[in-house]
Amino acid sequence: MGENTLPEQIAHQLRREILLGNLKPGAPIKERDNAAELGVSRTPMREAIRILAKEGLVELRPARSPVVASPTLKEVTDCITVIVALEELSGELAVQHATEAEIAEIWKLHERMRDNYDVYDHIERFEVDMEFHMAIARASHNEALAETHAAYLRRMWRARFLSARTRRNRERVVRQHGEIVSGLQSRDAGQVAMAIHSHLGHLLDSISEAFAGQPETARPAEEQDANKALTA
Amino acid sequence: MGENTLPEQIAHQLRREILLGNLKPGAPIKERDNAAELGVSRTPMREAIRILAKEGLVELRPARSPVVASPTLKEVTDCITVIVALEELSGELAVQHATEAEIAEIWKLHERMRDNYDVYDHIERFEVDMEFHMAIARASHNEALAETHAAYLRRMWRARFLSARTRRNRERVVRQHGEIVSGLQSRDAGQVAMAIHSHLGHLLDSISEAFAGQPETARPAEEQDANKALTA
DNA sequence: CAACAAATTTTGGTATACCAAATCCCCTCA
DNA sequence: TGAGGGGATTTGGTATACCAAAATTTGTTG
């Protein structure tokens, strides 16, 4: 459970609250209150907030309260554009450099997703999905790439979480993951690139739909106080 | 000169010292000493160090002194691989979305580089070069992409600075920049991608050469104390 | 009653104090 | 003489105090 350092633990807590929606987009995050809430001082809480800012989950404004980020549709689609490029590159490099063990690991994650799709709840499902994509990036044997890719995935976690609730996604997601893995196994760069592109393309579609359906998620940024949300 | 916040100003100072080599790779950066040196307290100095860590210029180790990063050749080439992908994407998007004014701005930067190559010193030259590449990323109208791309450029600044001293680079760099701009002007995605790929490919070559020539820059991480380097 | 302004409170930024862990130095002992 | 250990010191991590700038409230006035 516990990450390494205290600020990371705090960041983990806050991140969870944000991603679950207990801290609504636009809500201010006050150092004192939240620090007191968790029984720590402002110093590590400050650092935790910076960590989340680096991940794009909160927005820092000089001399003002940091707020939970509320990205616009364009910002989200921009990020996904970058993710596509990063993951296509990951796939291309993984085809060249991934070990058999790493590909087997990716396959295992795919199996876990496929076999437990209905067993897992939303969060567990997304955690496996994230691990799957991160494993691909790691298999590129390019640490910088894997790191940047992971940062973008985390940043998009909530947006993806809000979309992709639809049931018909299930079969498609699993099938596309399968195509990616199979491309890796046969070391077919073209197939991998194609599968990744198509997979993330659909992600972009479903997120756009979600924004169209619930435009309140976009900018208006409901000003709700962040206090007391941490005790849950 | 002055960035917005105090930590950013401090980071700016430290960054300069690192990139100029006054703080050697592997040297520890002690919060107290450096803070005292600049006449500030540890708190903003800490934040400044985190900023530089985010940029990859310093390496944080829990409960230990942060050290100036000393990337291996592989780490540098990995980063350049990512930069290539990011900048190719930038070019592709810029061809679609850049305004004429933005392309003109890029052209102006190219002209400045071309006409003042011998007038500028190394640092000025690199600053213009960086602005040139950043302007391309900005012309993509994808903020996340521009930000990530800029972060990588900053991260590679020192490595590029250490390489690329050779005189014969001059003509090639200027010519390749010209090809990129001309591709943008004619909205030719293929030409832009080709030019960027070739341009950064040569960068990779010259950096590899530089590492082969001066392997001390690689890992050994000369343990030199960081103090007093800031007064310069 | 509305609107502006001053005073109060709130909040982030900075400085400082304290602590525990890591480092360093020197001494001992094989 | 070199390796190991123990104490002193350095150093990052955390808590807290203080300050200045925002934000908020309140009181006054047109």
Side-chain angles (χ1 to χ4, degrees):
Chain A
M1 171 80 76
E3 318 297 50
N4 272 336
T5 76
L6 178 55
E8 273 168 17
Q9 291 177 37
I10 300 174
H12 182 74
Q13 274 269 19
L14 281 180
R15 180 166 35 227
R16 187 178 163 79
E17 297 300 326
I18 292 174
L19 293 178
L20 290 179
N22 294 340
L23 291 178
K24 298 266 167 50
I29 301 180
K30 306 177 198 182
E31 294 181 1
R32 278 180 173 83
D33 301 0
N34 289 29
E37 203 71 44
L38 294 179
V40 298
S41 85
R42 287 177 56 198
T43 317
M45 170 60 70
R46 257 178 93 76
E47 282 212 37
I49 292 175
R50 306 308 155 122
I51 292 175
L52 265 42
K54 178 171 93 179
E55 296 178 2
L57 285 178
V58 315
E59 195 176 334
L60 296 179
R61 314 169 295 175
R64 270 175 198 73
S65 274
V67 294
V68 178
S70 56
T72 63
L73 174 57
K74 168 157 177 37
E75 285 168 341
V76 172
T77 57
D78 279 356
C79 282
I80 293 182
T81 302
V82 177
I83 290 184
V84 171
L86 293 177
E87 198 156 325
E88 282 183 359
L89 177 59
S90 297
E92 185 185 324
L93 294 175
V95 162
Q96 299 172 37
H97 302 127
T99 66
E100 291 300 325
E102 283 165 339
I103 294 180
E105 167 71 17
I106 296 172
W107 169 261
K108 267 185 60 182
L109 287 168
H110 165 54
E111 266 186 326
R112 199 152 101 213
M113 178 98 159
R114 183 193 59 194
D115 299 337
N116 299 309
Y117 199 99
D118 297 305
V119 178
Y120 286 158
D121 64 16
H122 270 160
I123 297 189
E124 290 170 314
R125 203 142 56 212
F126 269 86
E127 273 164 1
V128 176
D129 182 70
M130 188 129 120
E131 280 180 50
F132 176 82
H133 288 276
M134 282 172 63
I136 294 174
R138 230 177 302 116
S140 73
H141 287 240
N142 182 324
E143 203 177 319
L145 174 58
E147 217 171 281
T148 303
H149 176 262
Y152 267 90
L153 274 191
R154 273 197 293 272
R155 199 160 159 179
M156 288 298 94
W157 211 86
R158 171 137 180 88
R160 292 198 300 147
F161 185 75
L162 285 182
S163 73
R165 292 170 186 273
T166 78
R167 195 126 217 80
R168 67 180 147 75
N169 277 334
R170 180 218 147 103
E171 180 222 1
R172 179 169 49 70
V173 166
V174 170
R175 176 169 43 76
Q176 289 177 329
H177 279 196
E179 282 169 15
I180 295 173
V181 178
S182 117
L184 287 174
Q185 286 169 330
S186 56
R187 307 276 176 178
D188 182 339
Q191 178 181 343
V192 170
M194 186 80 70
I196 288 174
H197 196 87
S198 150
H199 180 49
L200 295 177
H202 278 282
L203 168 62
L204 203 153
D205 289 343
S206 65
I207 286 183
S208 298
E209 281 175 32
F211 261 79
Q214 307 184 1
E216 344 93 31
T217 315
R219 253 312 177 194
E222 41 248 294
E223 292 288 336
Q224 168 181 322
D225 201 278
N227 304 350
K228 288 298 173 184
L230 289 174
T231 44
Chain B
M1 171 82 75
E3 317 297 52
N4 272 335
T5 77
L6 178 55
E8 273 169 16
Q9 291 177 36
I10 299 174
H12 182 73
Q13 274 269 18
L14 281 180
R15 178 165 38 226
R16 187 179 163 80
E17 298 300 326
I18 292 174
L19 294 178
L20 288 180
N22 294 340
L23 292 179
K24 299 266 167 50
I29 301 180
K30 307 181 197 176
E31 294 181 0
R32 268 179 246 273
D33 301 1
N34 289 27
E37 203 69 44
L38 294 179
V40 299
S41 84
R42 287 176 57 199
T43 318
M45 171 61 69
R46 256 179 94 76
E47 282 212 38
I49 291 175
R50 307 306 155 123
I51 292 175
L52 265 42
K54 180 172 93 177
E55 296 178 3
L57 285 178
V58 315
E59 195 177 333
L60 295 180
R61 313 170 295 176
R64 270 175 198 74
S65 276
V67 295
V68 178
S70 56
T72 62
L73 174 58
K74 168 156 177 38
E75 285 169 341
V76 172
T77 56
D78 279 356
C79 283
I80 293 184
T81 302
V82 176
I83 290 185
V84 171
L86 292 177
E87 198 156 326
E88 281 183 2
L89 177 59
S90 296
E92 185 185 324
L93 294 175
V95 162
Q96 298 171 36
H97 302 125
T99 66
E100 292 299 325
E102 284 165 338
I103 295 181
E105 168 72 16
I106 296 172
W107 169 261
K108 266 184 61 182
L109 287 168
H110 164 56
E111 267 186 325
R112 200 154 98 213
M113 178 98 159
R114 183 193 60 192
D115 299 337
N116 299 309
Y117 199 98
D118 298 304
V119 178
Y120 287 158
D121 64 17
H122 270 161
I123 297 189
E124 291 170 314
R125 204 143 54 212
F126 269 86
E127 274 164 0
V128 175
D129 182 71
M130 187 129 122
E131 280 180 51
F132 176 82
H133 288 275
M134 283 173 62
I136 294 174
R138 231 177 302 118
S140 73
H141 288 244
N142 182 324
E143 204 177 319
L145 174 58
E147 218 172 279
T148 303
H149 176 262
Y152 268 90
L153 273 190
R154 273 196 293 270
R155 200 160 158 178
M156 288 299 92
W157 211 87
R158 171 140 179 87
R160 293 197 301 147
F161 185 75
L162 285 182
S163 72
R165 292 171 186 270
T166 78
R167 195 125 218 80
R168 69 181 144 74
N169 277 334
R170 179 218 148 107
E171 181 222 0
R172 179 169 48 69
V173 166
V174 170
R175 177 170 41 76
Q176 289 176 331
H177 279 196
E179 282 169 15
I180 295 173
V181 179
S182 117
L184 287 173
Q185 286 169 329
S186 56
R187 307 278 175 176
D188 182 338
Q191 177 181 343
V192 170
M194 185 81 69
I196 288 175
H197 196 86
S198 151
H199 180 49
L200 295 178
H202 279 282
L203 167 63
L204 204 152
D205 289 344
S206 65
I207 286 184
S208 298
E209 281 175 32
F211 262 79
Q214 308 184 1
E216 344 95 30
T217 315
R219 254 311 179 195
E222 41 246 296
E223 292 288 335
Q224 167 180 324
D225 201 278
N227 303 352
K228 290 297 175 186
L230 289 174
T231 45

